[in-house]
C-alpha cells in the first residue's frame, strides 16, 4: 500500500510538473476586461517597456522621435525602448512570464501563430471601444495582422515591392509592364563577353537573387497560396506554373551556369557594392526602402521606379505588388495592458507619429490620413510604392500557422526547378502541396 | 515454490539511508537536470505543443518523422560530419601535436599559432572563414595560382560540408593541446628501448605512442562525435552568410544552403521548435539525437576497450 501510494504520488507530481509549465503566466488583466479610461489624464502613472527590432542608430532615433508625441500626450507614462529584439525572444519572454508591455516585429510570418496561441492579446474589443475605423488600412495590411478573426497586432509601417531601373542602362526604354516585355527588355539590355560571360544583366531571374522570393514574385501572376480551407493551392493554381515557366525560359536563355557564376560574383545586398548601384544589373525587384539606401550609398545614381510587370493575360494586376511590414501589439502578460494599448494605438493610428517614422525610415505609412499628409516626404520614386501599397489588387502571404515553413517549401522547390533538377513540374508542385498539407495536419490546421 | 529473501539487517538499512543522504545533492541534480528534461521531452513528443497550448496527438509526431524528407536529409548530413569531420579533426590535431613535440626551436610560438583560432568566437570565425573561402577570396586565389580551378566552397552542395570540415580543422586548438600534453607524457625510456630493439618511427608510434595516449584519443573521439551530432552554429552561420539571405518581409530563409547540404539534425530540430512552433515534433528529433549520442558513445567505448585490450593493456 505504502509503495503504491509512493508510485501514485510520484506519477501525479511528475504529471503536474510537466503540465504546469505549459501554461503561460498572465500577471495582469487582459485587454478589454477593464472599463475604458475617460481621457488621457485618467490613466495612472506607469512605465512601459517597448521591444522593437530596429538597431541602426538612425532607426532607433526615429522610434524615439515618433514616441515624443505620446510622451507629450501622456506625461505620466514613461516609455523605455529596447532595440534589436527578434521574434523568438518575444515568444520566449511571453512564455517565461516576462513579457514586455508592447512588442513589434519586422515580419508578419509569426502573426498567425501568435494570434492562435494567444501570445499577443486580442485587440478587437479595444479597437471597437475606441471607435477605430480599420477600413482606413488597405485590405492586405488588415489581413496580415489577424488570424481566424482574432486581431492581435496592428500594422506599424509597411513595405511594398516594385521594379527599380537604371535609366542610363535602359537607353530610353520604358519599364516593362508584362512578363514578355520584361523578357524582351532583359535580352536587349544584357551585355556579354565573346565567351558568353555576363557583364551586365538586364534582369536577374534567379530565385536565389536577393529579393526574388516566392512571396515577392507571386503577385506578378496573381498566384494563390492557400485554398479556403487552409490547404496548399500551389499545385492547383496554374499561376505558379506560369511564373515558373516564364522564369525558367529566361534562366535557360542566360544559361544556368553563366547566370549562377554572374550572380555569385556580385556584391552584398546590404552594402554599397550592390550591383544595381554599380550598373551591373539594369532592372531589379526591390522594396521601397531601397530608395533611402540609394540616397545614402549611391546618391548620383540616375534611376526610376515602376510597378512590377505582370502576366500578359492579367493586365488588371499591373500597378499592384507584394506588401507586408512591421507589426506591433500587446503581448499576453503585459503589466500595463491599457497603457500599452494607448501606445500601440498612438503609434499605428496617429498621423504625426506615422509620418515621423515614415520620413525617417522611408517605409510606407499605413493609414489613409498619413499617406495623404502634406508632411509626408514624397518624390516620384517613393510615390510609386505608395501607389502599389494602395492598389486594390496588392497582396500579401495570407496568415498561416506555418507561414515560414510553407514559404521555405516553395522556395526550395524553386531552386531545384531553376537548376533543371525538376523533370515533372506538376509532380514537383504536388510534392510541395503534400509537404505543406502534411505540416498543416501536424500543426492541427 | 516461493523464494523468500531475508530482510537486510537493521544496521545496513541505516547505512543505506546515510549513503542516500550524502548522495542526495547529486541525486537531486540528476533528477532535475537529467531525468526531468528527458521525461518532459518524452511527454511532449506525444503532444501538439506550440509553447502555449498542449494537445495529446498520440504517435502523430513520430509518424510525421518517417515522411519528413528534411529530417532524413539532416540525419545524412549529420552522419557525414561524424564519419568525415571527426576523424579529420582528431587526426589533424594529433598530427599537429606530434609535429610540435619534435620542434626544437619556436615550439612556443607555433603552439600559440595553432591554438589561437580556437579562441575566436564561433560566429566571428565562421563569418571570416566563409569570406576567406568565397569564390574570389584569398584561398581560392592561392589555389588558382597552381592552375587548379578552386571550388565554390560554401555555394556548391558538394563542397559545403568539406568546407565546414576545413573550418573544424582550423579550430583544433583545444584537441591539439590535449594531445600535446598526452604525447609529452609518454615515457621516453620506452622509445629508447624500442629503438635499441630496431623499431622504426611508425612501429614506435603504433606500439608505444598510440596505446599510451589511447585514453586521450578515446576522449577526443567521443567528445568529437557528440559535438558533431550537435553541430549547429557554424552550419547555420555559414549557410546564411553564403546565401546572403535577408530577414526582410516575405524573405523566408531556407536552412541548409546550398540545397540543404549543410542542414544538420540540430538545425532542423531548432527550426521545428522555434521557427515552426512544432515543439512536440522537435521533441521527437531531440530524442533521436539523444539515442544516437548514446549509441555512438557506447559503441566507441566498446571499440576502444577492445583496442586497448588487443594492445595488451586494459585501462
Amino acid at each position: 500500500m505504502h509503495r503504491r501510494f509512493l508510485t501514485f504520488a510520484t506519477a501525479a507530481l511528475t504529471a503536474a510538473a510537466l503540465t504546469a509549465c505549459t501554461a503561460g503566466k498572465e500577471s495582469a488583466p487582459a485587454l478589454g476586461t477593464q472599463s475604458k479610461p475617460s481621457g488621457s489624464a485618467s490613466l495612472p502613472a506607469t512605465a512601459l517597456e517597448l521591444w522593437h527590432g530596429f538597431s541602426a542608430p538612425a532607426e532607433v532615433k526615429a522610434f524615439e522621435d515618433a514616441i515624443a508625441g505620446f510622451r507629450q500626450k501622456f506625461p505620466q507614462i514613461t516609455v523605455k525602448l529596447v532595440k534589436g529584439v527578434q521574434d523568438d525572444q518575444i515568444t520566449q519572454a511571453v512564455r517565461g512570464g516576462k513579457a514586455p508591455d508592447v512588442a513589434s516585429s519586422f515580419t508578419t510570418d509569426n502573426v498567425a501563430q501568435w494570434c492562435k496561441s494567444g501570445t499577443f492579446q486580442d485587440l478587437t474589443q479595444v479597437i471597437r471601444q475606441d471607435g477605430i475605423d480599420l477600413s482606413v488600412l488597405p485590405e492586405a495590411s488588415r489581413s496580415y495582422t489577424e488570424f481566424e478573426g482574432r486581431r492581435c497586432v496592428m500594422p506599424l509601417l509597411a513595405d511594398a515591392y516594385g521594379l527599380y531601373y537604371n535609366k542610363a542602362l535602359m537607353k530610353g526604354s520604358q519599364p516593362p509592364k508584362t512578363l514578355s516585355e520584361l523578357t524582351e527588355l532583359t535580352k536587349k539590355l544584357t551585355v556579354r563577353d565573346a565567351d558568353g560571360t555576363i557583364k551586365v544583366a538586364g534582369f536577374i531571374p534567379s530565385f536565389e537573387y536577393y529579393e526574388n522570393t516566392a512571396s515577392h514574385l507571386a503577385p506578378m501572376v496573381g498566384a494563390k497560396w492557400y485554398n479556403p480551407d487552409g490547404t496548399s493551392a500551389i499545385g492547383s493554381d496554374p499561376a505558379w506554373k506560369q511564373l515558373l515557366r516564364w522564369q525558367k525560359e529566361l534562366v535557360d536563355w542566360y544559361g544556368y551556369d553563366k547566370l549562377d557564376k554572374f550572380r555569385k560574383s556580385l556584391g552584398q545586398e546590404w552594402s554599397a557594392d550592390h550591383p544595381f548601384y554599380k550598373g551591373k544589373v539594369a532592372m531589379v525587384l526591390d522594396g521601397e526602402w531601397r530608395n533611402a539606401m540609394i540616397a545614402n550609398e549611391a546618391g548620383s545614381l540616375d534611376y526610376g521606379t515602376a510597378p512590377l510587370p505582370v502576366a500578359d493575360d492579367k493586365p488588371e494586376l499591373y500597378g499592384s505588388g507584394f506588401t507586408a511590414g512591421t507589426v506591433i501589439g500587446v503581448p499576453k502578460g503585459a503589466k500595463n495592458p491599457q497603457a500599452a494599448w494607448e501606445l500601440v494605438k498612438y503609434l499605428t493610428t496617429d498621423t504625426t507619429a506615422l509620418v515621423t517614422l515614415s520620413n525617417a525610415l522611408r517605409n510606407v505609412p499605413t493609414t489613409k490620413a498619413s499617406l495623404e499628409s502634406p508632411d509626408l516626404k514624397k518624390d516620384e520614386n517613393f510615390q510609386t510604392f505608395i501607389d502599389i501599397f494602395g492598389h486594390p489588387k496588392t497582396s500579401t502571404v495570407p496568415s498561416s500557422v506555418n507561414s515560414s515553413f510553407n514559404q521555405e517549401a516553395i522556395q526550395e522547390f524553386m531552386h531545384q526547378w531553376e537548376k533543371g533538377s525538376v523533370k515533372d513540374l506538376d509532380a514537383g508542385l504536388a510534392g510541395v502541396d503534400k509537404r505543406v498539407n502534411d505540416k498543416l495536419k501536424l500543426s492541427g490546421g | 515454490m516461493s523464494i523468500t529473501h531475508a530482510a537486510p539487517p537493521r544496521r545496513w538499512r541505516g547505512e543505506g539511508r546515510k549513503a542516500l543522504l550524502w548522495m542526495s545533492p547529486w541525486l537531486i541534480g540528476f533528477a532535475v537536470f537529467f531525468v526531468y528534461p528527458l521525461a518532459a521531452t518524452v511527454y511532449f513528443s506525444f503532444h501538439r505543443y506550440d509553447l502555449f497550448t498542449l494537445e495529446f496527438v498520440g504517435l502523430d509526431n513520430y509518424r510525421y518523422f518517417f515522411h519528413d524528407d528534411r529530417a532524413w536529409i539532416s540525419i545524412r548530413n549529420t552522419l557525414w560530419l561524424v564519419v568525415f569531420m571527426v576523424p579529420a579533426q582528431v587526426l589533424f590535431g594529433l598530427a599537429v601535436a606530434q609535429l610540435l613535440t619534435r620542434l626544437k626551436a619556436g615550439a612556443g610560438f607555433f603552439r600559440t599559432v595553432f591554438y589561437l583560432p580556437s579562441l575566436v568566437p564561433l560566429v566571428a570565425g565562421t563569418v571570416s572563414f566563409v569570406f576567406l573561402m568565397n569564390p574570389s577570396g584569398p584561398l581560392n586565389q592561392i589555389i588558382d595560382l597552381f592552375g587548379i580551378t578552386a571550388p565554390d566552397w560554401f555555394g556548391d552542395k558538394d563542397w559545403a560540408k568539406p568546407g565546414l570540415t576545413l573550418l573544424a580543422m582550423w579550430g583544433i586548438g583545444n584537441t591539439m593541446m590535449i594531445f600535446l600534453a598526452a604525447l609529452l607524457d609518454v615515457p621516453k625510456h620506452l622509445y629508447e628501448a624500442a629503438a635499441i630493439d630496431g623499431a622504426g618511427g611508425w612501429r614506435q608510434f603504433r606500439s608505444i605512442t598510440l596505446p599510451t595516449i589511447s585514453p586521450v584519443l578515446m576522449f577526443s573521439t567521443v567528445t568529437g562525435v557528440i559535438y558533431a551530432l550537435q553541430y549547429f552554429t557554424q552550419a547555420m552561420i555559414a549557410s546564411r552568410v553564403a546565401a546572403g539571405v535577408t530577414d526582410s518581409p516575405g524573405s523566408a530563409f531556407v536552412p541548409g544552403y546550398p540545397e540543404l547540404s549543410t542542414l544538420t539534425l540540430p538545425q532542423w530540430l531548432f527550426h521545428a521548435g522555434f521557427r515552426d512552433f512544432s515543439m512536440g515534433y522537435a521533441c521527437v528529433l531531440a530524442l533521436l539525437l539523444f539515442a544516437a549520442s548514446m549509441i555512438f558513445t557506447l559503441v566507441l567505448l566498446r571499440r576502444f576497450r577492445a583496442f586497448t585490450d588487443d594492445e595488451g593493456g586494459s585501462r
Side-chain angles (χ1 to χ4, degrees):
Chain A
M1 182 68 191
H2 182 64
R3 184 173 292 176
R4 262 193 210 159
F5 173 76
L6 267 179
T7 313
F8 175 77
T10 311
L13 274 174
T14 309
L18 288 171
T19 49
C21 68
T22 61
K25 296 178 189 82
E26 195 163 1
S27 56
L31 256 183
T33 56
Q34 296 165 302
S35 58
K36 180 180 161 16
S38 53
S40 59
S42 65
L43 277 174
T46 187
L48 295 178
E49 194 166 284
L50 188 161
W51 288 8
H52 63 86
F54 298 106
S55 53
E59 295 172 337
V60 174
K61 185 179 178 306
F63 224 84
E64 285 282 359
D65 292 347
I67 281 173
F70 179 81
R71 288 189 173 123
Q72 272 183 353
K73 202 173 168 189
F74 295 95
Q76 75 276 28
I77 300 176
T78 53
V79 181
K80 183 190 167 202
L81 297 180
V82 179
K83 64 176 182 175
V85 179
Q86 305 296 315
D87 283 11
D88 49 355
Q89 289 169 277
I90 297 169
T91 307
Q92 287 300 322
V94 176
R95 176 71 187 76
K98 291 176 181 166
D101 299 288
V102 180
S104 83
S105 165
F106 277 145
T107 71
T108 54
D109 287 341
N110 291 327
V111 168
Q113 187 61 44
W114 280 341
C115 285
K116 188 186 171 206
S117 61
T119 308
F120 276 71
Q121 302 193 32
D122 194 350
L123 305 174
T124 313
Q125 200 169 332
V126 282
I127 287 171
R128 200 179 301 131
Q129 256 180 11
D130 289 349
I132 295 170
D133 177 12
L134 291 181
S135 67
V136 298
L137 302 171
E139 196 189 327
S141 295
R142 274 178 279 156
S143 85
Y144 68 63
T145 45
E146 66 175 353
F147 181 67
E148 292 178 347
R150 190 183 162 101
R151 167 166 302 284
C152 62
V153 286
M154 291 282 280
L156 180 55
L157 287 175
D159 292 307
Y161 287 75
L163 187 80
Y164 285 74
Y165 56 92
N166 182 317
K167 284 185 178 170
L169 294 177
M170 293 283 275
K171 292 171 192 155
S173 296
Q174 289 306 300
K177 290 188 172 177
T178 63
L179 291 180
S180 55
E181 283 177 20
L182 176 59
T183 302
E184 199 180 321
L185 198 54
T186 298
K187 290 177 180 175
K188 188 177 146 192
L189 302 179
T190 298
V191 182
R192 298 181 195 243
D193 281 337
D195 64 353
T197 304
I198 302 162
K199 282 177 76 178
V200 175
F203 177 83
I204 297 180
S206 170
F207 291 132
E208 296 195 69
Y209 178 70
Y210 303 160
E211 299 293 330
N212 291 3
T213 62
S215 45
H216 298 163
L217 293 161
M220 293 164 79
V221 290
K224 286 187 183 61
W225 288 86
Y226 306 113
N227 296 313
D229 62 356
T231 55
S232 174
I234 290 169
S236 55
D237 184 357
W240 285 104
K241 274 184 260 183
Q242 188 177 25
L243 174 69
L244 287 159
R245 285 192 177 124
W246 163 78
Q247 188 263 0
K248 185 79 173 99
E249 195 188 307
L250 198 50
V251 168
D252 290 347
W253 175 78
Y254 276 110
Y256 174 79
D257 290 341
K258 288 192 166 56
L259 187 63
D260 196 47
K261 191 177 170 194
F262 177 69
R263 181 180 66 79
K264 284 174 177 166
S265 73
L266 301 171
Q268 288 289 306
E269 183 182 6
W270 307 110
S271 75
D273 285 335
H274 193 289
F276 183 66
Y277 307 167
K278 300 286 173 192
K280 287 188 167 185
V281 189
M283 298 175 282
V284 293
L285 183 165
D286 228 327
E288 84 294 338
W289 31 263
R290 182 63 63 186
N291 282 305
M293 296 179 85
I294 292 173
N296 290 333
E297 294 165 347
S300 59
L301 183 70
D302 188 15
Y303 74 101
T305 55
L308 289 167
V310 298
D312 292 55
D313 57 344
K314 292 168 189 158
E316 72 279 7
L317 290 176
Y318 189 71
S320 69
F322 173 80
T323 186
T326 306
V327 293
I328 189 164
V330 181
K332 176 183 180 181
K335 288 175 207 74
N336 307 291
Q338 191 59 45
W341 161 243
E342 290 296 334
L343 179 56
V344 169
K345 185 170 74 176
Y346 175 79
L347 284 171
T348 58
T349 61
D350 185 275
T351 303
T352 311
L354 282 168
V355 169
T356 304
L357 264 179
S358 173
N359 283 344
L361 303 174
R362 304 310 290 140
N363 290 155
V364 181
T366 36
T367 64
K368 201 167 174 241
S370 56
L371 285 163
E372 289 169 356
S373 167
D375 296 329
L376 182 66
K377 286 183 202 161
K378 285 186 262 191
D379 57 26
E380 206 181 324
N381 286 327
F382 194 63
Q383 184 66 46
T384 303
F385 295 94
I386 290 178
D387 295 341
I388 292 170
F389 181 67
H391 194 281
K393 297 237 178 244
T394 284
S395 58
T396 188
V397 181
S399 293
S400 162
V401 286
N402 292 315
S403 191
S404 295
F405 180 92
N406 300 345
Q407 289 175 68
E408 285 160 26
I410 179 71
Q411 201 103 326
E412 200 184 308
F413 174 75
M414 284 170 148
H415 296 168
Q416 297 294 322
W417 165 256
E418 178 177 334
K419 277 193 77 175
S421 310
V422 177
K423 300 299 168 214
D424 184 342
L425 182 57
D426 287 311
L429 289 171
V432 175
D433 276 352
K434 189 177 179 314
R435 277 193 73 196
V436 170
N437 295 339
D438 284 352
K439 185 67 175 54
L440 189 66
K441 271 188 214 157
L442 187 81
S443 305
Chain B
M1 194 177 92
S2 65
I3 300 168
T4 53
H5 295 283
R10 187 173 292 275
R11 184 168 57 88
W12 286 109
R13 272 188 278 166
E15 290 197 355
R17 281 205 193 99
K18 266 187 204 161
L20 271 177
L21 189 69
W22 283 108
M23 283 169 68
S24 59
W26 180 86
L27 283 174
I28 291 166
F30 182 72
V32 170
F33 297 113
F34 183 79
V35 178
Y36 172 74
L38 187 61
T41 307
V42 174
Y43 177 79
F44 289 129
S45 73
F46 295 107
H47 291 78
R48 180 177 296 129
Y49 180 39
D50 62 6
L51 284 171
F52 292 91
T53 50
L54 196 66
E55 184 191 347
F56 182 74
V57 292
L59 292 170
D60 280 5
N61 288 323
Y62 289 88
R63 279 192 208 102
Y64 183 79
F65 168 72
F66 288 103
H67 300 287
D68 182 7
D69 296 343
R70 272 68 206 158
W72 292 102
I73 291 170
S74 69
I75 289 169
R76 276 204 298 275
N77 288 337
T78 307
L79 286 177
W80 191 101
L81 294 173
V82 170
V83 171
F84 294 102
M85 189 176 80
V86 177
Q89 215 176 356
V90 171
L91 291 176
F92 187 61
L94 181 60
V96 171
Q98 180 78 3
L99 206 66
L100 290 178
T101 58
R102 306 280 169 111
L103 276 183
K104 297 279 182 245
F109 171 76
F110 283 106
R111 282 175 200 180
T112 311
V113 166
F114 280 106
Y115 186 69
L116 271 179
S118 63
L119 297 177
V120 178
L122 279 184
V123 174
T126 309
V127 171
S128 313
F129 217 73
V130 174
F131 281 115
L132 191 75
M133 294 169 76
N134 79 20
S136 52
L139 181 73
N140 280 16
Q141 284 180 10
I142 292 168
I143 295 174
D144 283 343
L145 288 179
F146 295 96
I148 303 165
T149 308
D152 178 5
W153 294 98
F154 292 102
D156 184 332
K157 69 180 172 64
D158 297 326
W159 284 100
K161 282 191 288 287
L164 289 173
T165 306
L166 284 181
L167 173 61
M169 288 165 74
W170 178 67
I172 46 94
N174 284 326
T175 313
M176 182 271 293
M177 286 305 281
I178 294 168
F179 279 131
L180 191 63
L183 289 171
L184 293 173
D185 216 26
V186 179
K188 291 269 187 303
H189 68 265
L190 294 179
Y191 291 119
E192 288 162 7
I196 291 165
D197 289 344
W202 172 243
R203 179 73 193 169
Q204 286 181 24
F205 180 76
R206 211 170 69 82
S207 300
I208 299 171
T209 312
L210 270 187
T212 313
I213 67 162
S214 65
V216 175
L217 202 59
M218 182 188 73
F219 170 79
S220 297
T221 310
V222 171
T223 51
V225 166
I226 292 170
Y227 180 75
L229 287 170
Q230 296 174 357
Y231 199 70
F232 181 88
T233 310
Q234 295 93 324
M236 177 72 102
I237 300 295
S239 62
R240 284 188 84 96
V241 175
V245 289
T246 88
D247 276 327
S248 57
S251 301
F253 168 58
V254 180
Y257 178 89
E259 296 178 58
L260 303 175
S261 60
T262 57
L263 182 69
T264 58
L265 187 55
Q267 277 186 87
W268 194 233
L269 187 164
F270 172 82
H271 216 72
F274 295 99
R275 290 293 295 257
D276 296 335
F277 297 98
S278 299
M279 201 51 83
Y281 180 57
C283 285
V284 172
L285 299 177
L287 287 171
L288 178 78
L289 198 57
F290 173 73
S293 302
M294 289 291 284
I295 292 166
F296 269 105
T297 307
L298 288 174
V299 169
L300 281 170
L301 288 175
R302 286 181 74 91
R303 294 299 307 157
F304 268 98
R305 195 174 302 147
F307 170 75
T308 49
D309 288 348
D310 287 349
E311 293 297 327
S314 66
R315 289 163 193 281

